[in-house]
């Protein structure tokens, strides 16, 4: 399941997915936990300026970026300065 | 579950995973990924901060050693270089040099320091008051 989510995250953007990834962190299968770590990192890290510029110039990447941005909002305390902007 | 609780849950799970493999971080296969995630999520959690700081002092360093250069025999290229050379249409006798960089087994020192700095910044910022 985490593999499927990772291949097309923008199609899985809902709060239930975040909960599933949180549960996957404790999965006894290391591969599942590792995949969850990667995906959750994508949810909380702020893309570098260069990456943001590339996304803004590439329409095919913008829907994916919107998905990560929404997931980021579900992981980031509201009203905090420096919250991820995508 | 609210957003802050999610981050706290991530930090707790990642800290637990790192603690389980404290004697052998490589058991996590990519421990640097766990540490990066911890750096993005841990706030005001001393165990998480101490775990990363401990890594800086004991396990941190350059992930790869200095590159090693090896001149290959152009008339008898080893596999898979020979296959690649053929596919790319490289003329026979063309000199080749193999460059290797051997992993050291150490955690990425810069990743550890970045993670620690992110946690410190959040502890000094408004986010800390919410948790």
């Amino acid at each position: 399941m985490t593999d499927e989510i990772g291949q097309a995250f923008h199609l899985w953007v809902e709060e239930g997915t975040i909960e599933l990834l949180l549960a996957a962190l404790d999965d006894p299968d290391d591969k599942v936990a590792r995949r969850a770590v990667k995906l959750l990192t994508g949810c909380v890290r702020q893309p570098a300026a260069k990456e943001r510029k590339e996304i803004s110039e590439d329409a095919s990447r913008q829907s994916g970026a919107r998905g990560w941005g929404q997931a980021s909002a579900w992981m980031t305390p509201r009203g905090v300065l420096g919250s991820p902007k995508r | 579950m609210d957003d802050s609780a999610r981050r706290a849950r991530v930090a707790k799970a990642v800290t637990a995973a790192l603690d389980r493999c404290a004697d052998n971080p490589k058991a996590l296969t990519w421990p640097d990924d766990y540490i990066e995630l911890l750096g993005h999520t841990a706030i005001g959690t001393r165990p998480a901060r101490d775990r990363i700081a401990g890594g800086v002092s004991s396990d941190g360093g350059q992930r790869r050693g200095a590159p090693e250069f090896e001149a290959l025999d152009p008339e008898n290229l080893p596999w898979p270089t020979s296959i690649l050379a053929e596919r790319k249409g490289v003329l026979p006798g063309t000199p080749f040099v193999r460059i290797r960089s051997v992993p050291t087994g150490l955690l990425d020192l810069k990743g550890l320091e970045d993670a620690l700095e992110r946690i410190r910044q959040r502890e000094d910022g408004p986010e800390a008051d919410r948790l």
Side-chain angles (χ1 to χ4, degrees):
Chain A
M1 178 66 89
T2 50
D3 269 345
E4 293 289 325
I5 294 170
Q7 286 173 29
F9 186 80
H10 62 289
L11 300 177
W12 291 86
V13 180
E14 53 183 283
E15 289 199 66
T17 301
I18 303 296
E19 286 301 314
L20 188 147
L21 294 175
L22 288 168
L25 284 177
D26 294 322
D27 195 284
D29 184 339
D30 288 348
K31 288 180 184 173
V32 174
R34 277 204 303 274
R35 173 64 74 175
V37 166
K38 274 288 195 190
L39 290 168
L40 286 168
T41 301
C43 294
V44 293
R45 87 178 171 86
Q46 188 170 8
K50 183 184 174 191
E51 192 180 344
R52 285 201 300 272
K53 184 171 183 292
E54 287 171 358
I55 291 170
S56 69
E57 294 170 351
D58 184 348
S60 66
R61 292 179 62 184
Q62 287 174 7
S63 65
R66 278 194 293 274
W68 289 111
Q70 179 58 66
S72 174
W74 287 325
M75 297 284 293
T76 305
R78 282 175 285 275
V80 173
L81 295 174
S83 297
K85 297 178 182 66
R86 290 173 187 265
Chain B
M1 181 175 289
D2 72 13
D3 36 30
S4 298
R6 286 194 175 112
R7 283 196 178 224
R9 194 170 152 195
V10 170
K12 186 178 174 187
V14 172
T15 303
L18 288 167
D19 284 345
R20 279 197 300 273
C21 301
D23 295 335
N24 180 22
K26 282 188 286 185
L28 292 171
T29 309
W30 305 108
D32 295 323
D33 289 345
Y34 283 75
I35 288 163
E36 182 184 0
L37 181 57
L38 188 57
H40 282 295
T41 54
I43 300 171
T45 51
R46 181 166 286 279
R49 199 175 52 211
D50 289 350
R51 181 71 194 88
I52 295 176
V56 170
S57 61
S58 62
D59 308 323
Q62 296 297 321
R63 291 178 69 186
R64 292 187 167 272
E68 299 171 0
F69 300 89
E70 178 190 1
L72 303 179
D73 178 358
E75 304 300 334
N76 187 25
L77 291 173
W79 186 89
T81 309
S82 55
I83 303 293
L84 291 171
E86 188 179 331
R87 283 185 188 164
K88 289 175 179 283
V90 176
L91 295 174
T94 302
F96 270 84
V97 173
R98 176 188 284 163
I99 304 172
R100 280 190 303 188
S101 177
V102 180
T104 60
L106 297 172
L107 298 175
D108 177 23
L109 183 59
K110 185 175 185 312
L112 287 163
E113 290 174 344
D114 286 351
L116 206 52
E117 182 57 27
R118 281 193 201 100
I119 294 173
R120 284 186 183 134
Q121 284 177 356
R122 282 197 305 276
E123 285 175 351
D124 294 337
E127 203 167 350
D129 298 333
R130 292 178 49 92
L131 295 180

